[in-house]
Amino acid sequence: MKRGFLLLLYPCLCFCTEIDLKIGARPQGMGGAFVGVSDDSNAIYWNPAGLCLISSGEVSFMHANPFSCENTYIDWVSIAQPFRRSSGVGIGLLYKSAVLEEGRENNKSRMSDSCFIISGASSIGNSVMYGVNIKMFSLSSKLEKEKGMGFDIGLLYKGDFPISGFSCGFMYRNLASSIKDEEFPKEIRFGISKRFFDERLILSSDCSVKRDVNKKEEDIRWYNGFELMALKNIFLRLGYDNGDIGCGLGTIIKRYCIDYSFLKEEEYGLPDTHRFALSIRF
């Protein structure tokens, strides 16, 4: 049964919208509770308003083999750059691919899709930030090739009200997003976070509301996590991902940030997912 489920999962990983991919090893290690944090280049995917919080240029790479599926990969590369005062810009490329064996002769067929993102963010005063993503989709298979466009909008507040070290975020994903006259499922996501001990500890929580394909009712999902600087430039992470368990660790060595995350999939008993990410600050 597991093998059959994985076979059905291949095309879903390639052709579904990127709502649940939880791009980045750091966000996945925190259980996907990142909309209210979004203070690094992962903000391009999670909440573009967070580009206002980056203090230097950053390029990042991520590679994942979801659920240990053979010949199925998710890759992400992004560049983020602060722009003027309390503003930021970024670009990201998400690429998903799978190779299937079809028929009695096991002929191989490759399916892939990509999403190119252009992000921009600015601020109102010192605490309220807003951002926009413009997304260009490309889908390729043995049968067809299609293109489409979409948008995301994000908001982020970071300040000392109602308590110091508090932040909250809002993300509307896949606003007017479609490909081949088919719309991607929309998602509204809220997140809050609180920083303690000079930001050595971050607690965060997200709530998402979305309607999946072929579902009439909206799903509400919860994500909770934390990040702890256990030693200088050594970070430990743990999260609850709507029923699944995520954890991870990271380190900063001069200009390099290295992150790893692990996701234990509980609902369907699928193999575990491991992710690796590298960021370089300049």
Side-chain angles (χ1 to χ4, degrees):
M1 289 181 64
K2 289 183 180 179
R3 290 180 179 178
F5 186 88
L6 291 175
L7 182 62
L8 294 175
L9 184 66
Y10 282 149
C12 294
L13 285 170
C14 257
F15 295 102
C16 70
T17 152
E18 66 274 21
I19 285 179
D20 289 319
L21 296 183
K22 300 176 185 63
I23 293 303
R26 183 188 176 202
Q28 181 177 268
M30 298 175 68
F34 204 72
V35 169
V37 180
S38 298
D39 56 359
D40 59 19
S41 59
N42 289 306
I44 294 173
Y45 176 86
W46 288 91
N47 186 350
L51 290 173
C52 294
L53 298 178
I54 60 176
S55 57
S56 64
E58 184 175 327
V59 56
S60 61
F61 309 88
M62 185 209 76
H63 174 76
N65 175 214
F67 308 122
S68 301
C69 296
E70 185 179 358
N71 296 322
T72 303
Y73 304 103
I74 300 174
D75 294 289
W76 166 260
V77 58
S78 63
I79 302 174
Q81 176 68 44
F83 181 71
R84 296 182 179 178
R85 182 180 178 181
S86 300
S87 299
V89 294
I91 58 174
L93 176 62
L94 173 63
Y95 181 77
K96 296 168 282 181
S97 65
V99 177
L100 305 181
E101 292 184 354
E102 302 173 329
R104 296 182 179 179
E105 297 179 357
N106 293 328
N107 295 322
K108 293 185 177 181
S109 175
R110 174 177 291 275
M111 298 188 297
S112 66
D113 76 30
S114 62
C115 177
F116 179 71
I117 304 174
I118 300 175
S119 301
S122 190
S123 62
I124 303 173
N126 297 321
S127 300
V128 179
M129 293 148 274
Y130 60 92
V132 177
N133 284 340
I134 301 174
K135 305 190 294 186
M136 287 155 279
F137 305 103
S138 177
L139 181 150
S140 177
S141 70
K142 187 177 181 180
L143 300 177
E144 59 185 348
K145 294 183 179 181
E146 300 292 341
K147 295 183 178 181
M149 288 192 65
F151 304 89
D152 302 328
I153 57 174
L155 299 172
L156 185 65
Y157 166 82
K158 183 178 181 182
D160 294 326
F161 178 83
I163 52 178
S164 62
F166 174 79
S167 64
C168 62
F170 166 85
M171 178 69 164
Y172 192 150
R173 193 185 306 279
N174 287 331
L175 173 67
S177 299
S178 64
I179 188 169
K180 197 184 177 181
D181 299 324
E182 296 209 10
E183 291 189 359
F184 289 146
K186 297 177 176 60
E187 179 189 28
I188 296 176
R189 197 170 184 122
F190 301 91
I192 61 173
S193 70
K194 175 70 172 71
R195 299 168 188 257
F196 301 87
F197 313 120
D198 295 327
E199 303 196 1
R200 294 177 63 91
L201 172 64
I202 301 175
L203 301 182
S204 60
S205 180
D206 279 15
C207 174
S208 75
V209 180
K210 70 172 184 175
R211 181 178 298 171
D212 284 335
V213 178
N214 298 324
K215 283 190 176 183
K216 296 181 179 179
E217 297 182 355
E218 294 180 336
D219 288 339
I220 299 178
R221 304 184 181 186
W222 296 91
Y223 312 87
N224 301 281
F226 75 84
E227 178 182 75
L228 172 67
M229 184 189 293
L231 299 172
K232 184 178 180 181
N233 293 335
I234 301 293
F235 301 88
L236 302 179
R237 304 175 183 117
L238 182 65
Y240 176 83
D241 184 346
N242 194 53
D244 301 328
I245 302 300
C247 62
L249 54 88
T251 183
I252 299 177
I253 305 173
K254 295 183 178 180
R255 299 183 297 114
Y256 302 92
C257 305
I258 304 171
D259 294 301
Y260 163 78
S261 69
F262 168 88
L263 178 66
K264 179 67 176 179
E265 214 290 342
E266 296 286 350
E267 184 175 359
Y268 298 105
L270 295 173
D272 305 326
T273 295
H274 304 268
R275 291 190 179 185
F276 298 89
L278 171 66
S279 299
I280 305 171
R281 296 173 179 172
F282 55 89

